[in-house]
Amino acid sequence: MSAHELIRVVAFAASAICMGLGAVGSAVGIGIIGGKDIRGSSINPKQQGALLKTMLIAMAIASTTAIYALLVALLLLFLIGAV
Amino acid sequence: MNDVGLIATKTLFIPELNFKVTYNPQILLFSWVVILLIFGLGLFLIRAVKGAPSRRSALLETLYGSFSNMATEAMGADGRKFVPLVVTIFLFVLISNWLGVVPGLQSPTKDLNTCLALGFLVFVVAHTSAMRKKGLKSYLKGYFEPFFFFLPINIVGEFGKLVSHSFRLFGNIFAGAIIFALSGPVIIKTFNAIGLPTYSASPFILGALLISQAFFGLFVGTVQALVFALLALTYIAILREA
């Protein structure tokens, strides 16, 4: 295996690891937010519409770190992996 | 991103100006399809508002009224001037995401350039409106909050908002497109590997395509369009009010 191929293999593996491990934190966070929202709307069903809006924004902010991981994974895949 | 085989780009080179631009003709075409669809929808719905109340006028008033309520909650009566922008962004992203469900058509939001353009639009609108409302001095002072050495963190945070806002939409739609393109070949290879003929995989391929289109196209597309519009409103409100 030449050095060029080795770099490509490592870049592909690194992008997979980056996306997989980077998604763990926001997956846990989104799960907690969804669970709390269900709890809140079952305690107070009249507030369901307002809670849904807040939940969507909170989920979007919790998924920001996973999006940074996706950015790094795409850079590895298409800049280093495609050389 | 030609490796994926999903995106075909063309390059336009103007030698007199030494200017080179790479673009995707399909995405440009389908963006104009979306714009014409929204224009037609507006012409179709606006006639109903003038007459007696009907189903069509109720649809338009619900759409506009819910975003108007959110803007008023976040920014007071001042927020109503941002409602047309936010509703337009919502409709553009929603119809773009739903366009990919129709076979043969593609979502314009599958391309990062469309999403970055939308994110940059919100970025510029948020910062200019904050500058005009608070004045340049107190706008710049916001970067030194809570202490003066927070300046680099605040600047990186503003660009992080722009990047995460556009990459969130792009990542969701692009992932859906990749899974849609990969589901057929993966099922055929799995069936061949366990010794079954290719034609016996066809009902499973049809089911996988239908489920992935329904989930990634319709459900994720709707949620992401709502999230994109709500975040646009929130970013404008945070910069104006903070």
Side-chain angles (χ1 to χ4, degrees), chain A residues 8 52-53 56-57 59-64 67-68 70-71 74 77-78 81-82, chain B residues 1 3-4 70 73 160-161 163-164 167-168 170-171 174 223 226-227 230-231 234:
Chain A
R8 287 195 66 179
L52 180 72
K53 198 183 73 189
L56 282 178
I57 292 180
M59 276 185 175
I61 290 168
S63 69
T64 305
I67 289 158
Y68 294 148
L70 171 78
L71 178 63
L74 284 180
L77 212 57
F78 292 116
Chain B
M1 297 190 184
D3 285 33
V4 190
M70 288 175 210
E73 273 173 30
K161 271 187 200 169
V163 169
S164 69
F167 264 86
R168 175 174 300 117
F170 162 72
F174 187 62
V223 171
L226 190 61
V227 165
L230 281 179
L231 277 179
T234 315

Side-chain angles (χ1 to χ4, degrees), chain A residues 3-67:
Chain A
H4 188 78
E5 284 172 342
L6 188 68
I7 289 174
R8 287 195 66 179
V9 168
V10 172
F12 286 146
S15 82
I17 293 169
C18 169
M19 194 63 240
L21 289 184
V24 170
S26 53
V28 173
I30 287 173
I32 291 173
I33 292 167
K36 298 268 180 189
D37 177 75
I38 291 171
R39 200 175 153 195
S41 56
S42 59
I43 289 172
N44 194 353
K46 282 182 186 169
Q47 289 291 315
Q48 210 166 6
L51 281 174
L52 180 72
K53 198 183 73 189
T54 331
M55 181 191 75
L56 282 178
I57 292 180
M59 276 185 175
I61 290 168
S63 69
T64 305
T65 44
I67 289 158

Side-chain angles (χ1 to χ4, degrees), chain B residues 28-171:
Chain B
L28 276 179
L29 176 70
F30 289 122
S31 306
W32 278 102
V33 169
V34 171
I35 291 167
L36 289 178
L37 276 175
I38 293 176
F39 194 66
L41 190 74
L43 283 181
F44 176 71
L45 288 175
I46 202 74
R47 270 184 212 156
V49 178
K50 288 177 185 162
S54 65
R55 284 185 204 169
R56 279 193 265 166
S57 65
L59 174 68
L60 198 62
E61 281 159 16
T62 313
L63 184 67
Y64 193 87
S66 51
F67 276 106
S68 179
N69 279 344
M70 288 175 210
T72 323
E73 273 173 30
M75 285 179 270
D78 217 20
R80 290 186 57 183
K81 63 182 171 189
F82 295 104
V83 179
L85 174 77
V86 174
V87 175
T88 310
I89 288 176
F90 174 72
L91 278 178
F92 183 81
V93 176
L94 183 74
I95 296 181
S96 304
N97 293 348
W98 282 0
L99 205 68
V101 177
V102 184
L105 302 185
Q106 288 182 358
S107 308
T109 39
K110 202 174 76 178
D111 196 340
L112 178 58
N113 300 308
T114 314
C115 303
L116 262 181
L118 288 172
F120 202 68
L121 172 73
V122 174
F123 181 80
V124 170
V125 166
H127 281 261
T128 37
S129 78
M131 259 182 237
R132 286 176 70 178
K133 193 200 169 200
K134 298 199 290 193
L136 192 62
K137 201 177 168 189
S138 77
Y139 164 77
L140 287 177
K141 201 173 161 242
Y143 285 101
F144 295 97
E145 301 286 336
F147 304 111
F148 72 93
F149 52 81
F150 271 67
L151 175 70
I153 298 175
N154 282 332
I155 291 175
V156 170
E158 287 305 317
F159 282 102
K161 271 187 200 169
L162 167 67
V163 169
S164 69
H165 194 198
S166 36
F167 264 86
R168 175 174 300 117
L169 181 61
F170 162 72

Side-chain angles (χ1 to χ4, degrees), chain B residues 164-188:
Chain B
S164 69
H165 194 198
S166 36
F167 264 86
R168 175 174 300 117
L169 181 61
F170 162 72
N172 279 285
I173 305 305
F174 187 62
I178 285 183
I179 289 173
F180 180 68
L182 283 184
S183 57
V186 165
I187 292 174
I188 289 177

Side-chain angles (χ1 to χ4, degrees), chain B residues 188-231:
Chain B
I188 289 177
K189 282 189 179 168
T190 318
F191 268 65
N192 287 340
I194 56 175
L196 288 168
T198 307
Y199 63 83
S200 63
S202 46
F204 293 92
I205 292 174
L206 190 64
L209 293 188
L210 279 177
I211 290 169
S212 64
Q213 280 295 47
F215 182 74
F216 288 105
L218 297 177
F219 176 70
V220 175
T222 315
V223 171
Q224 289 307 315
L226 190 61
V227 165
F228 197 90
L230 281 179
L231 277 179

